[in-house]
Amino acid sequence: MFLALESADDTRRVGGKAASLGRMLRAGFTVPDGIVLPTELFEDFLDSTGRREDIQELVEALDVSIVNAANDASNHIQGWLEETPLSDALSSELSRYFNGNPGVFAVRSSAVGEDSARASFAGQLDSFLDIADEQALLEAVKRCWCSFYSARGLTYQRATGVRLAGMAVIIQTQIEGAVSGVAFTQSPQDSNSLLMEYVEGGCEALVSGEVTPESLTISREHDGGHKAIELLSGPQVDSLHSTFMQLEDEFGAPQDIEWTIDPDGQLYLLQSRPVTVTDAGERVVYSNANINENYPGPVEPFLQSLAKTSYAHYFRNLAIAYGFAPHRIEAMEDALQNIVGVHGQRLYYDVSNIHAVFRMAPWGDVFAQWFNDFVGVEVNTETRDRDATWERGKLGRAAEAFELFTMSLKIIEQYRTMTTQVEAFERTVTNFVRKCTPAKLREQDRDGLVKLLEGFIEIRCHKWIGATLADSACMVCCGALDSFLGRAFDEDSDVLLHGLLRGLPDIVSSEPPKQLWYLSRTIRNDENLNTLFENDTAFVLETLGWDGERMAADHSFAAPLQAFLDNWGFRCTGELMMTTTSFQEEPEPVIDMLRSYKDMVNKGPDEVIESQAAKRLAQTEELASQLNPATEQVFRTLLRATGASLSLRERARLKQAQLYRCCRRIVFALGEELAASGELSNADDVLFMTWQEMVSLGEGSEVPTEVAQRKRRFERESLWEDLPPRIITTRGQSWSPPVTPQTTEEAVESDDDALRGIAAAAGNVTSRATVALGQQDFHTIAAGDILVAPQTDPGWATVLFLVQGLVMERGGMLSHGAIIAREFGIPSVVGVHRATERIPNGSTVLVDGDGGYVHIHA
């Protein structure tokens, strides 16, 4: 009934994976021992369901007409399989094998047609580890067979054009790995190199993408003598290289290999398959535009895992809301799972995948370009052979017309109810915030904290549609308005757009500077408060009774200041980062800003915004007068829609910041609990767990052993400097910065030279430049300065009112800093490469917000 793994040689009976392992064993390579359940057992099992013809009909219908969603077909088929028991003869043989071979087993699928040069089927079929009892073994075999009809497997077959012809199952002794990894004997990026990625422990977390691995690239002609590296000794590296190249010789083609080294140092080969065509040579473009506004520095594995999950749900839920056909959403799954990448522990957009998602929509290239304009990406990508574009997913003219009609109705309905959905999102966040005060978190045990974290994940992944719609509406409206301006008028559309978006009503990001202004007037008009604020910041806070959480003194100014912190103190630089403290935790910068505000005698924020609004309205009327009545109506409609969507987007972003501050409190409370129990060395080490690992603590799981390794890697890579804003590499290839930094522009030394960027807010101003890298530098910013910063998020709003000009290294015309700058009429240039290094602190600079230049005066 079973075959010994070593004798597995007929691919038609044992599948590609088992045949490969059998060949490796026969050639003398070390492979975990095991058996194979050949394909005829799977066929017998299908016959025993009594549903063989029904299954075939569903699969054929899926091949002929992809309107039938893979999920629906899979659910039907797997339901029939799950209710069918294994035969008595098979159950008896499996029991006999289990009892005669004590140990822990891995149960792995081996399909006929997988692991080929054309399609690897990597991750499409299921395997099960840590099988340590008889019933679990029987269940694992059955679940492997069920995965033959999984939705992802059916979708992959349709996308690649490769049909699986049968299913075998491998049962092997499971090896406890000390170090495990994957290797490409021919690197996708360099045909003369071998690429290896590896982690501490087993291989599962690596191949599933849950952890960021160590990486090593060495010459295929390597002749030994390699130095020790992280986790591996020099002799181990030499042995791995030699074994991998021998394996390539055995199979006669470059191989994709999974391997592990046990605690005694023995190397085991777990799998070898040809490097597939799609793995080699696919160009991928990463950009940190806009995403570094949200995540301006290195991010730990917790936030990496959260970003990957949340961005996938963000785009998927938007596609569902807009009425995309289920087969289109299924086809974009691979791209959705890889919207973000991590390089040097920094987050980057995978622009290639984002553009692929947009191209699944009608007029997808237009939306891809609008996305670029929206976030400040300056690169286009090519449509890949495997991308499921709108054209490739069409089912005929009638079906396309019906699909477009259905999508139009959905989109109209979503935009009609967008304000209501944003309001619902705001209420959801407000209700959650009430559960996460420091006092309430102190009352929670581990299970309670895990449930709160699950609540945060539920909101971020499944109750975010209001915020998502506001974002997408803002992108579409701004793109459409910019296109209209470019066609209707001779002037530069970007310059016109700057003017038409200044002084907009109901931009919530301008509220913190307004509230600070009101507080500063109170100080200015009160002699005692004026005297108090002449003292140092520590004395001011002590007088107001700051106890580390609240202003507790019975002082006339304590309550108003605490109200500001309660309502706006969660807004800070890097407000989505887990390691950034807010003004609610450290109010010192607020005291420093109040000193600067109270010394200002010019107009307050309300008056400045009213002045900008008057200019916007005057420009609107001037432009409208140049249009015929019908075109004028289109212009005014686009303008109203753009203003409304910007307002809603800023409201959603406000609640996002508040929600992430709660997440930070929950995560660190959980870290303190784990440190107190001795499961973590320090509370901060909790950030080196993924959110999935934290949630699994509530199910009895332990803290992963990889925490220390992840922390070492993070500490090493977070020191990398001068990471480029754009990285172009090959899919599957780990990126690391060159040993010699790439040449960049030298600092400007004369009046004739200028730094080039993107014009973000109109006007020209000359003043002193103050370089500020974060809120720790807020105290150095004086009224009338030109602020030079890496990027700004809404947490910078309170200092933007102080300055006369803004220069940012990163960002686009619709980044939050640019939006607030237009509110206050501050000339701004963004996207100026290495501005914080090239503009000397204290120098005199001219900011040309119309042309997008910054001039440094000698």
Side-chain angles (χ1 to χ4, degrees):
M1 182 175 283
F2 303 151
L3 299 174
L5 185 56
E6 187 172 1
S7 66
D9 59 357
D10 184 351
T11 303
R12 293 169 299 178
R13 290 194 68 205
V14 299
K17 187 181 298 177
S20 173
L21 291 171
R23 182 172 176 175
M24 291 156 63
L25 277 166
R26 293 190 298 274
F29 294 97
T30 304
V31 174
D33 194 20
I35 58 172
V36 183
L37 281 61
T39 56
E40 56 262 31
L41 294 178
F42 177 51
E43 299 301 318
D44 292 343
F45 176 68
L46 290 180
D47 288 338
S48 70
T49 66
R51 293 278 192 170
R52 187 65 177 259
E53 291 184 2
D54 295 330
I55 292 171
Q56 190 64 29
E57 285 179 9
L58 280 175
V59 173
E60 289 302 327
L62 190 64
D63 289 338
V64 173
S65 172
I66 54 177
V67 168
N68 294 317
N71 272 330
D72 293 338
S74 175
N75 289 339
H76 276 99
I77 296 171
Q78 294 204 42
W80 297 330
L81 299 183
E82 288 170 2
E83 66 186 18
T84 303
L86 299 181
S87 70
D88 292 341
L90 177 58
S91 298
S92 176
E93 288 295 321
L94 286 172
S95 298
R96 186 178 296 113
Y97 178 79
F98 179 85
N99 293 319
N101 297 272
V104 178
F105 295 96
V107 180
R108 311 170 69 193
S109 58
S110 179
V112 179
E114 71 168 331
D115 288 354
S116 68
R118 187 177 170 196
S120 71
F121 280 82
Q124 305 305 313
L125 305 171
D126 287 342
S127 296
F128 301 94
L129 304 177
D130 302 317
I131 304 301
D133 67 72
E134 183 178 326
Q135 187 57 42
L137 179 63
L138 301 178
E139 184 65 25
V141 169
K142 186 174 175 180
R143 290 171 67 189
C144 272
W145 282 342
C146 287
S147 73
F148 187 84
Y149 293 107
S150 69
R152 65 182 185 275
L154 293 173
T155 302
Y156 186 85
Q157 291 180 65
R158 184 176 63 227
T160 61
V162 176
R163 289 286 302 276
L164 296 177
M167 167 76 90
V169 173
I170 306 166
I171 301 175
Q172 287 178 284
T173 301
Q174 182 171 317
I175 305 300
E176 179 189 356
V179 181
S180 306
V182 296
F184 280 52
T185 59
Q186 185 176 78
S187 167
Q189 193 171 38
D190 179 5
S191 60
N192 295 316
S193 296
L194 179 150
L195 170 66
M196 184 163 55
E197 294 184 338
Y198 57 98
V199 297
E200 187 174 14
C203 212
E204 306 76 48
L206 171 59
V207 296
S208 66
E210 294 177 9
V211 298
T212 302
E214 304 289 340
S215 178
L216 175 65
T217 301
I218 54 179
S219 170
R220 284 166 52 84
E221 305 300 325
H222 174 72
D223 56 1
H226 201 286
K227 295 181 179 178
I229 56 175
E230 186 78 19
L231 300 178
L232 294 171
S233 68
Q236 283 178 318
V237 174
D238 294 337
S239 174
L240 288 168
H241 177 275
S242 174
T243 301
F244 296 157
M245 296 312 298
Q246 290 174 38
L247 202 55
E248 179 180 300
D249 290 341
E250 171 66 28
F251 285 99
Q255 295 292 296
D256 171 3
I257 304 162
E258 291 182 24
W259 54 272
T260 190
I261 297 175
D262 72 9
D264 295 327
Q266 175 63 55
L267 170 64
Y268 288 89
L269 300 177
L270 306 179
Q271 185 168 314
S272 186
R273 59 192 173 208
V275 174
T276 57
V277 174
T278 54
D279 285 328
E282 182 181 296
R283 177 178 180 266
V284 56
V285 179
Y286 294 96
S287 173
N288 66 8
N290 182 258
I291 197 170
N292 58 20
E293 181 179 311
N294 294 330
Y295 308 101
V299 297
E300 295 81 1
F302 169 73
L303 211 48
Q304 293 175 18
S305 66
L306 178 59
K308 184 172 183 177
T309 303
S310 61
Y311 275 106
H313 281 87
Y314 178 100
F315 283 98
R316 185 188 298 107
N317 291 339
L318 185 63
I320 294 170
Y322 281 176
F324 277 67
H327 75 270
R328 293 191 185 276
I329 298 173
E330 291 168 12
M332 68 172 72
E333 192 60 32
D334 179 69
L336 290 172
Q337 293 297 330
N338 295 282
I339 291 294
V340 295
V342 179
H343 299 291
Q345 306 299 321
R346 280 84 167 176
L347 293 180
Y348 281 75
Y349 282 135
D350 186 328
V351 181
S352 302
N353 279 333
I354 292 176
H355 285 180
V357 170
F358 280 121
R359 289 183 181 125
M360 293 179 191
W363 309 290
D365 283 323
V366 173
F367 291 121
Q369 184 57 53
W370 285 356
F371 170 81
N372 285 2
D373 296 338
F374 186 63
V375 304
V377 172
E378 296 182 341
V379 63
N380 288 311
T381 62
E382 303 162 352
T383 301
R384 304 169 297 202
D385 290 340
R386 64 184 177 88
D387 287 344
T389 64
W390 178 263
E391 290 296 321
R392 293 172 183 169
K394 283 164 52 172
L395 307 174
R397 295 178 63 181
E400 180 186 22
F402 179 75
E403 188 174 3
L404 285 172
F405 176 72
T406 303
M407 289 178 64
S408 298
L409 293 180
K410 281 273 193 178
I411 291 169
I412 291 170
E413 177 63 15
Q414 294 297 345
Y415 281 150
R416 187 183 70 80
T417 61
M418 183 168 60
T419 299
T420 302
Q421 295 196 64
V422 170
E423 290 171 348
F425 171 70
E426 290 173 320
R427 288 193 298 272
T428 297
V429 174
T430 298
N431 291 334
F432 184 77
V433 168
R434 294 194 183 106
K435 304 175 185 177
C436 302
T437 63
K440 289 186 177 179
L441 289 181
R442 283 194 290 269
E443 299 172 357
Q444 298 290 341
D445 60 11
R446 178 183 302 194
D447 289 342
L449 293 171
V450 168
K451 287 180 180 178
L452 283 172
L453 181 59
E454 289 177 324
F456 167 83
I457 298 297
E458 174 68 16
I459 295 172
R460 188 63 185 85
C461 294
H462 302 296
K463 298 181 179 179
W464 205 261
I465 190 62
T468 305
L469 288 171
D471 265 346
S472 65
C474 192
M475 182 193 81
V476 171
C477 290
C478 287
L481 179 58
D482 187 47
S483 297
F484 175 89
L485 295 173
R487 292 193 304 269
F489 303 101
D490 294 332
E491 297 176 62
D492 187 306
S493 62
D494 287 342
V495 174
L496 292 176
L497 194 60
H498 296 161
L500 292 170
L501 297 182
R502 59 185 163 177
L504 292 171
D506 303 320
I507 299 297
V508 72
S509 301
S510 63
E511 279 301 310
K514 289 180 184 179
Q515 298 303 319
L516 270 188
W517 177 261
Y518 302 150
L519 289 174
S520 73
R521 297 307 90 182
T522 300
I523 298 170
R524 188 177 178 86
N525 296 327
D526 186 304
E527 184 177 346
N528 291 331
L529 288 176
N530 255 305
T531 302
L532 173 62
F533 274 78
E534 289 174 0
N535 293 283
D536 63 42
T537 299
F539 180 81
V540 174
L541 289 174
E542 182 182 355
T543 302
L544 297 176
W546 175 248
D547 62 5
E549 288 186 8
R550 302 188 64 80
M551 303 292 172
D554 186 16
H555 190 285
S556 62
F557 196 67
L561 182 56
Q562 185 59 52
F564 173 84
L565 294 176
D566 290 340
N567 295 327
W568 308 104
F570 55 84
R571 305 234 75 170
C572 58
T573 63
E575 57 195 15
L576 305 188
M577 301 286 283
M578 292 296 106
T579 53
T580 301
T581 55
S582 69
F583 300 142
Q584 290 176 335
E585 299 167 272
E586 296 181 355
E588 288 81 359
V590 176
I591 303 300
D592 295 334
M593 284 186 287
L594 281 171
R595 285 200 192 89
S596 297
Y597 269 57
K598 79 178 181 65
D599 293 334
M600 296 177 69
V601 295
N602 50 354
K603 296 178 180 178
D606 287 317
E607 295 172 282
V608 171
I609 293 174
E610 288 175 8
S611 174
Q612 292 300 308
K615 294 176 182 178
R616 169 176 53 81
L617 293 173
Q619 183 183 13
T620 300
E621 295 307 316
E622 179 187 349
L623 293 174
S625 68
Q626 303 174 37
L627 303 172
N628 63 50
T631 309
E632 178 188 350
Q633 185 61 39
V634 173
F635 169 58
R636 292 187 184 277
T637 300
L638 280 174
L639 200 54
R640 283 195 300 271
T642 303
S645 63
L646 275 167
S647 173
L648 290 173
R649 178 178 179 244
E650 291 302 297
R651 282 171 56 180
R653 179 61 194 263
L654 175 78
K655 303 308 288 187
Q656 178 185 22
Q658 193 173 22
L659 185 66
Y660 270 68
R661 290 294 95 188
C662 290
C663 177
R664 169 182 154 83
R665 288 197 289 268
I666 294 168
V667 168
F668 276 95
L670 185 58
E672 289 170 1
E673 201 277 337
L674 293 172
S677 66
E679 295 167 82
L680 286 176
S681 299
N682 303 290
D684 293 359
D685 289 349
V686 72
L687 296 178
F688 298 95
M689 297 173 62
T690 65
W691 73 261
Q692 294 94 333
E693 291 165 346
M694 292 185 196
V695 167
S696 69
L697 293 173
E699 302 167 358
S701 297
E702 298 180 352
V703 172
T705 59
E706 297 89 352
V707 164
Q709 178 202 356
R710 295 171 186 171
K711 186 175 182 180
R712 290 194 300 270
R713 177 169 185 152
F714 177 85
E715 291 171 344
R716 182 172 69 251
E717 292 187 6
S718 62
L719 297 177
W720 289 356
E721 297 179 350
D722 298 324
L723 269 69
R726 185 174 68 218
I727 293 173
I728 300 177
T729 184
T730 303
R731 182 73 63 193
Q733 173 70 38
S734 295
W735 180 90
S736 59
V739 177
T740 303
Q742 299 172 341
T743 49
T744 55
E745 301 91 336
E746 295 299 321
V748 176
E749 296 178 354
S750 71
D751 289 340
D752 297 328
D753 290 330
L755 308 184
R756 177 69 170 141
I758 301 170
N764 293 271
V765 65
T766 300
S767 188
R768 184 188 76 146
T770 295
V771 178
L773 303 181
Q775 65 193 41
Q776 71 275 11
D777 299 323
F778 280 8
H779 68 283
T780 67
I781 302 169
D785 282 351
I786 289 173
L787 173 62
V788 182
Q791 74 285 314
T792 60
D793 53 29
W796 292 74
T798 48
V799 297
L800 289 181
F801 180 65
L802 290 171
V803 303
Q804 291 190 80
L806 174 64
V807 180
M808 294 192 296
E809 293 180 332
R810 300 186 284 269
M813 192 181 70
L814 291 174
S815 61
H816 295 279
I819 291 171
I820 299 168
R822 286 191 292 270
E823 287 295 286
F824 295 145
I826 302 169
S828 303
V829 179
V830 303
V832 180
H833 181 62
R834 299 179 67 186
T836 58
E837 299 174 37
R838 298 161 66 197
I839 298 177
N841 193 40
S843 63
T844 300
V845 300
L846 183 153
V847 175
D848 178 357
D850 297 313
Y853 291 94
V854 180
H855 300 266
I856 303 178
H857 296 301

